[in-house]
Amino acid sequence: RGLLRMLHPYMYIYNMRSLFVLFLASAGFVLLLEMQIWSLYTSLGKMKSRQLMITTGNTLQLGKEARDVSIDSQSFVQQQQSRSLVLYNRVPKTGSTTFMWVIYKLCYNLHYNVLHLNITNNDLVMAPADQYDFIRNITTWTDKLPGFYHGHVAYIDFPRFGFTQPLYIQIIREPLDRLVSHYYFLRYGDNFRSHLIRAKMGDQTTFDDCVEKKKYECRPQRLWLQIPLFCGHESACWIPGNEWALRKAKDHLLSNYLVVGITEQMAEFMAVLEAIVPRFFKGASKVYAEAGRKSHMRETVKKDTPSDKTVEVMRNSSVYRMERDFYEFAKTVFERVKRKSIWLKNGMWLPIGKRYHYEKIKP
């Protein structure tokens, strides 16, 4: 007993050391286990990145064969949805009713939605808040994707509001022909909805008389429409004869429009669209041919041809020269696209088809 009492302090110290060693061993084991788990987690992350997954940091990781790319996931979704959106900001009296008749025929078999944008008081511009709301609405309205939107509205700059551009298309017409058609349309209506009462119904003043009397509705400034609709919502776009607006309109036509057709070449325009974007336009040429190949299904009931004197007055104006310049520019661009996209066979315009292939593919 006396010996045990003497050894008791040493036994206590021994037990404490044993516990301390046991604690260190346990901590080391836990640390080793955590390192193995982290290593496994990291390896799993690398495997997922090779499979093109979007990480929690809103980045898109590509495999070793591509360089690292980081994009916002919301932007990625917008880009995918924008490919399912076509926006046709129609110019009045350019054959747009004929074109839309074809689109409404196609949408059922091709399974996409068609929606008309109606702006209050037939205005052609939208307030910034309305622009943003419209853009946000059509890009997130998934129940209506794919969607084809059309309406008389100026070009809307989607990237300006932080969204990806849709597929823009347009049709334009020789400017004086368009104005004359619109002038008589307001007085006599058309054969499409003949029961409607138009704004100038009953006024039998000819376009020649209107020009001679220098009335507002037939002044050269009234030709200023196609340029501002391509230019956009900036106030400078709507100043008749503005050189900056003309340059802006040309820039938008080249950079932001998929195809801009010409009223006088409606059949070719249908074929080009079918060749480039069959998702929305497959069968357009056939439907258009069945309609009788009319450049206008909506024809003004009465329309007098302007006299040579009237034509000379209009063509001598700077506004006409600029609108004509823009028309010829669009026509040249369309001819170039047409040569690369379609060819004529037995009276029908057909897609040229793919002219490329892949080779030397490794591994």
Side-chain angles (χ1 to χ4, degrees), residues 130 252 255 276:
D130 284 343
H252 283 164
S255 303
I276 297 177

Side-chain angles (χ1 to χ4, degrees), residues 184-239:
Y184 283 104
F185 168 74
L186 294 178
R187 284 157 177 77
Y188 298 99
D190 56 33
N191 58 352
F192 186 69
R193 290 185 292 181
S194 57
H195 62 282
L196 294 181
I197 305 299
R198 301 298 173 180
K200 296 288 183 177
M201 195 73 75
D203 180 4
Q204 298 183 0
T205 305
T206 65
F207 189 77
D208 288 337
D209 292 339
C210 182
V211 172
E212 185 177 0
K213 296 176 181 178
K214 298 180 180 180
K215 291 187 175 182
Y216 169 76
E217 56 192 316
C218 54
R219 289 189 301 174
Q221 287 78 3
R222 299 289 290 175
L223 291 162
W224 191 257
L225 183 64
Q226 298 183 134
I227 288 175
L229 282 175
F230 275 83
C231 178
H233 281 70
E234 289 84 353
S235 58
C237 294
W238 298 87
I239 301 174

Side-chain angles (χ1 to χ4, degrees), residues 55-84:
T55 67
T56 55
N58 290 337
T59 59
L60 184 67
Q61 301 293 333
L62 299 179
K64 292 182 179 179
E65 67 278 4
R67 68 176 184 268
D68 292 337
V69 178
S70 296
I71 62 173
D72 184 85
S73 60
Q74 183 179 357
S75 176
F76 175 77
V77 173
Q78 290 175 7
Q79 290 175 11
Q80 302 308 308
Q81 292 177 345
S82 69
R83 296 174 185 174
S84 300

Side-chain angles (χ1 to χ4, degrees), residues 93 101 172 194 234 242 269 272 334 350:
K93 306 308 295 178
W101 180 84
I172 68 171
S194 57
E234 289 84 353
N242 190 332
F269 180 57
V272 167
F334 179 68
L350 302 174

Side-chain angles (χ1 to χ4, degrees), residues 57 68 70 94 111 163 177 193 213 216 227 230 241-242 277 299 301 345 356:
D68 292 337
S70 296
T94 57
H111 306 292
F163 291 82
D177 288 347
R193 290 185 292 181
K213 296 176 181 178
Y216 169 76
I227 288 175
F230 275 83
N242 190 332
V277 195
E299 295 180 341
V301 173
K345 181 181 180 181
Y356 70 90

Side-chain angles (χ1 to χ4, degrees), residues 82-105:
S82 69
R83 296 174 185 174
S84 300
L85 280 173
V86 174
L87 182 52
Y88 171 35
N89 60 320
R90 305 164 54 168
V91 177
K93 306 308 295 178
T94 57
S96 59
T97 300
T98 301
F99 178 74
M100 286 310 305
W101 180 84
V102 173
I103 297 303
Y104 275 107
K105 287 284 186 179

